[in-house]
């Protein structure tokens, strides 16, 4: 809440641009090593961290520093040399801040990959130059496309192991271009790299003079992401009602949440769903100041001019541009548990900050991630499978198509008995 509720700060401290990106690809394609190289060459790790990794590498008998140890933190990950959980790492350059989601490559951990990529601005798919595209590489590209990740980079890794052969790179590039043409990928960039040796990771490589593009880090620093967010359709799911009831803020009432779309400003006429009542925005507060506007993905507290009945799960939007309240959901679902998803199954559903129960009405088809064929004969979805499903909810949800808004167009399905998330859904238009 604002310490001075009547003051509004028009000139805000400039915020460094943030890029969230997720790595993907098959097992042993070098995802964790690439992130380790980015952290090392961008001076984002401490000396004691590097010394610990060097000691562990020596103890394992390696004749090189295993940079993957910087991200593979679980004991089982280090023992097997694989990534299991999603590892988040943070670093910054003078141009931009980064949040990296290092996702696993094994098929059985595809659900973890979906989790890591669901909020990403950019997907980074690695391919081993020696083996080319694999089933898992294609699977992850399809998932990134379904998740509407707006930017995709294909990094052809381990070029040092194929003597930096241009023909091998071009063969993989052309094959992926053909496959990607069937997907929804607005922005595709392909870069040949060697994560272990550092070629084209932070600096341009002298070993591949035939490649005329930028290094990976240069691309990550300069890719334009601010226009990817929906700044037209105002969406503010209410997460929490702020009532301090202190002497200083005795009558304070605010509604906290994260802006999911559009731009909020004091004085704007807004509508509260599901009640439909209209009012205006009195002020928008951060922790210690009021601001003149709020936009995705800012977390703010909104104060309204009138005392309305507003609680968690409600949606603040514009009267002329409201989301669609509906109990019938048509969505693409990635199923994440061993017990198959079947018609008539009952689950809990969480959409933005709103909770309800859902009944599976129909499974329309299962998507073959290799051929993109729609299997309409299927009667269920198994672990890591993707399909189109129709649901009926017990309460209206305020939705947008996923391609329009990745927050209000998505949901998760939860097993009511265990509380475990079992599915992730993307709402169709």
């Amino acid at each position: 809440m604002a310490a001075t509720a009547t003051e509004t700060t028009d000139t805000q401290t400039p915020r460094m641009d943030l890029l969230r990106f997720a790595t993907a690809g098959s097992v042993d394609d070098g995802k964790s090593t690439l992130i380790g190289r980015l952290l090392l060459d961008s001076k984002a790790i401490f000396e004691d961290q590097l010394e610990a990794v060097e000691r562990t590498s020596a103890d394992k008998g390696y004749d090189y520093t295993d940079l993957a140890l910087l991200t593979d933190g679980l004991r089982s990950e280090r023992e097997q040399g694989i990534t299991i959980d999603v590892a988040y790492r943070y670093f910054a350059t003078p141009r931009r801040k980064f949040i990296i989601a290092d996702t696993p490559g094994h098929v059985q951990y595809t659900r973890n990959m979906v989790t890591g990529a669901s909020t990403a601005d950019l997907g980074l798919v690695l391919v081993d130059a020696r083996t080319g595209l694999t089933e898992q590489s294609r699977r992850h590209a399809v998932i990134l496309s379904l998740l509407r990740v707006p930017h995709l980079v294909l990094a052809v890794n381990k070029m040092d192991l194929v003597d930096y052969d241009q023909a091998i790179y071009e063969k993989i590039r052309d094959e992926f271009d053909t496959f990607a043409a069937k997907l929804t990928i607005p922005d595709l960039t392909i870069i040949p790299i060697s994560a272990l040796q550092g070629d084209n990771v932070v600096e341009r490589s002298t070993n591949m003079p035939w490649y005329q593009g930028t290094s990976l880090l240069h691309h990550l620093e300069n890719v334009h992401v601010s226009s990817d967010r929906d700044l037209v359709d105002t969406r503010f799911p209410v997460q929490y009602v702020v009532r301090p009831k202190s002497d200083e803020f005795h009558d304070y009432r605010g509604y906290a949440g994260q802006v999911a779309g559009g731009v909020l400003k004091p004085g704007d006429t807004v509508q509260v769903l599901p009640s439909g009542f209209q009012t205006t925005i009195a002020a928008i507060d951060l922790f210690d100041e009021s601001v003149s506007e709020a936009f995705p993905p800012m977390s703010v507290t909104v104060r309204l001019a009138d005392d309305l009945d507003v609680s968690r799960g409600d949606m603040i939007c514009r009267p002329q541009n409201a989301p669609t309240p509906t109990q019938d959901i048509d969505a693409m679902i990635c199923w994440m548990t061993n017990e198959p998803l079947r018609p008539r199954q009952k689950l809990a559903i969480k959409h933005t900050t709103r909770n309800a129960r859902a009944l599976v009405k129909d499974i329309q088809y299962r998507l073959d991630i290799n051929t993109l064929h729609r299997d309409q004969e299927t009667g269920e979805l198994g672990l890591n499978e993707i399909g189109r499903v129709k649901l009926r909810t017990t309460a209206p949800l305020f939705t947008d198509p996923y391609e329009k808004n990745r927050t209000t167009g998505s949901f998760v399905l939860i097993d009511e008995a265990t509380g475990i998330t079992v599915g992730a859904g993307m709402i169709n238009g």
Side-chain angles (χ1 to χ4, degrees), residues 193-239:
I193 68 169
S194 170
L196 187 63
Q197 304 300 330
D199 295 285
N200 281 341
V201 177
V202 173
E203 302 290 342
R204 285 279 306 274
S205 172
T206 57
N207 294 314
M208 291 176 277
W210 43 264
Y211 172 70
Q212 300 300 312
T214 66
S215 69
L216 175 61
L217 182 60
H218 183 274
H219 179 75
L220 296 176
E221 286 182 324
N222 291 278
V223 64
H224 186 64
V225 296
S226 58
S227 61
D228 298 330
R229 301 184 177 97
D230 181 4
L231 299 178
V232 176
D233 307 303
T234 300
R235 304 288 185 265
F236 186 75
V238 176
Q239 182 175 351

Side-chain angles (χ1 to χ4, degrees), residues 46-300:
F46 296 108
E47 288 185 9
D48 58 339
Q49 290 177 296
L50 181 58
E51 290 171 358
V53 169
E54 289 173 343
R55 283 196 305 271
T56 304
S57 300
D59 293 342
K60 289 178 172 287
Y62 300 157
D63 57 359
Y64 62 92
T65 301
D66 186 4
L67 298 176
L69 297 175
L70 288 168
T71 56
D72 290 339
L74 299 177
R75 177 178 296 178
S76 56
E77 291 178 324
R78 294 194 172 199
E79 289 174 349
Q80 300 178 60
I82 64 171
T83 301
I84 297 174
D85 198 5
V86 180
Y88 291 95
R89 291 294 179 268
Y90 311 86
F91 77 103
T93 67
R95 291 188 61 90
R96 177 171 269 172
K97 290 181 180 179
F98 299 92
I99 299 178
I100 315 170
D102 181 21
T103 68
H106 276 70
V107 175
Q108 68 193 91
Y109 302 122
T110 299
R111 55 191 171 186
N112 294 0
M113 181 267 169
V114 173
T115 301
S118 61
T119 58
D121 302 306
L122 180 146
L124 178 59
V125 179
L126 272 76
V127 173
D128 189 328
R130 299 170 299 173
T131 58
L133 293 179
T134 63
E135 177 181 346
Q136 190 68 339
S137 303
R138 296 173 189 271
R139 182 192 304 273
H140 284 180
V142 170
I143 291 173
L144 290 169
S145 172
L146 288 174
L147 290 172
R148 292 296 191 271
V149 177
H151 307 277
L152 192 146
V153 174
L154 180 73
V156 183
N157 193 23
K158 304 188 181 182
M159 289 298 297
D160 55 312
L161 300 182
V162 295
D163 296 325
Y164 303 101
D165 191 325
Q166 181 180 359
I168 291 177
Y169 162 74
E170 291 179 345
K171 179 183 177 182
I172 296 173
R173 180 198 63 189
D174 295 343
E175 184 181 357
F176 191 80
D177 273 335
T178 302
F179 180 72
K182 305 174 186 177
L183 307 176
T184 304
I185 301 176
D187 176 34
L188 172 63
T189 302
I190 304 177
I191 304 174
I193 68 169
S194 170
L196 187 63
Q197 304 300 330
D199 295 285
N200 281 341
V201 177
V202 173
E203 302 290 342
R204 285 279 306 274
S205 172
T206 57
N207 294 314
M208 291 176 277
W210 43 264
Y211 172 70
Q212 300 300 312
T214 66
S215 69
L216 175 61
L217 182 60
H218 183 274
H219 179 75
L220 296 176
E221 286 182 324
N222 291 278
V223 64
H224 186 64
V225 296
S226 58
S227 61
D228 298 330
R229 301 184 177 97
D230 181 4
L231 299 178
V232 176
D233 307 303
T234 300
R235 304 288 185 265
F236 186 75
V238 176
Q239 182 175 351
Y240 182 72
V241 180
V242 181
R243 290 295 308 275
K245 296 183 179 179
S246 63
D247 291 338
E248 186 179 1
F249 300 101
H250 185 75
D251 297 319
Y252 188 98
R253 182 193 294 267
Y255 307 101
Q258 185 177 48
V259 184
V263 179
L264 296 170
K265 295 181 179 180
D268 285 350
T269 299
V270 292
Q271 182 181 42
V272 180
L273 296 178
S275 68
F277 290 124
Q278 295 186 23
T279 183
T280 58
I281 296 177
I284 302 172
D285 301 333
L286 293 179
F287 177 72
D288 57 354
E289 62 180 341
S290 293
V291 294
S292 58
E293 62 179 14
F295 48 85
M298 291 176 64
S299 294
V300 297

Side-chain angles (χ1 to χ4, degrees), residues 201-410:
V201 177
V202 173
E203 302 290 342
R204 285 279 306 274
S205 172
T206 57
N207 294 314
M208 291 176 277
W210 43 264
Y211 172 70
Q212 300 300 312
T214 66
S215 69
L216 175 61
L217 182 60
H218 183 274
H219 179 75
L220 296 176
E221 286 182 324
N222 291 278
V223 64
H224 186 64
V225 296
S226 58
S227 61
D228 298 330
R229 301 184 177 97
D230 181 4
L231 299 178
V232 176
D233 307 303
T234 300
R235 304 288 185 265
F236 186 75
V238 176
Q239 182 175 351
Y240 182 72
V241 180
V242 181
R243 290 295 308 275
K245 296 183 179 179
S246 63
D247 291 338
E248 186 179 1
F249 300 101
H250 185 75
D251 297 319
Y252 188 98
R253 182 193 294 267
Y255 307 101
Q258 185 177 48
V259 184
V263 179
L264 296 170
K265 295 181 179 180
D268 285 350
T269 299
V270 292
Q271 182 181 42
V272 180
L273 296 178
S275 68
F277 290 124
Q278 295 186 23
T279 183
T280 58
I281 296 177
I284 302 172
D285 301 333
L286 293 179
F287 177 72
D288 57 354
E289 62 180 341
S290 293
V291 294
S292 58
E293 62 179 14
F295 48 85
M298 291 176 64
S299 294
V300 297
T301 298
V302 174
R303 285 186 281 141
L304 302 178
D306 301 297
D307 290 332
L308 302 180
D309 181 9
V310 183
S311 59
R312 177 181 172 85
D314 290 357
M315 177 81 73
I316 296 175
C317 58
R318 291 292 186 90
Q320 297 81 13
N321 189 12
T324 305
T326 182
Q327 291 178 256
D328 293 300
I329 306 296
D330 181 353
M332 297 297 295
I333 288 180
C334 180
W335 192 243
M336 301 179 177
T337 191
N338 291 313
E339 184 67 25
L341 176 68
R342 298 186 177 96
R344 311 303 300 172
Q345 192 167 340
K346 296 178 181 179
L347 298 158
I349 185 170
K350 185 177 187 301
H351 172 261
T352 63
T353 58
R354 196 167 178 82
N355 296 286
R357 300 181 70 200
L359 173 71
V360 180
K361 293 174 60 179
D362 183 37
I363 298 178
Q364 296 183 291
Y365 62 79
R366 179 183 61 83
L367 185 69
D368 186 314
I369 57 91
N370 287 313
T371 64
L372 301 182
H373 171 70
R374 299 176 179 182
D375 178 11
Q376 297 180 347
E377 302 301 320
T378 186
E380 62 184 32
L381 288 182
L383 175 64
N384 295 324
E385 290 185 335
I386 299 169
R388 187 167 183 171
V389 178
K390 287 193 172 183
L391 305 171
R392 174 75 177 179
T393 63
T394 55
L397 305 181
F398 313 123
T399 66
D400 292 293
Y402 186 79
E403 61 185 11
K404 186 177 181 181
N405 190 307
R406 292 171 67 191
T407 301
T408 57
S410 63

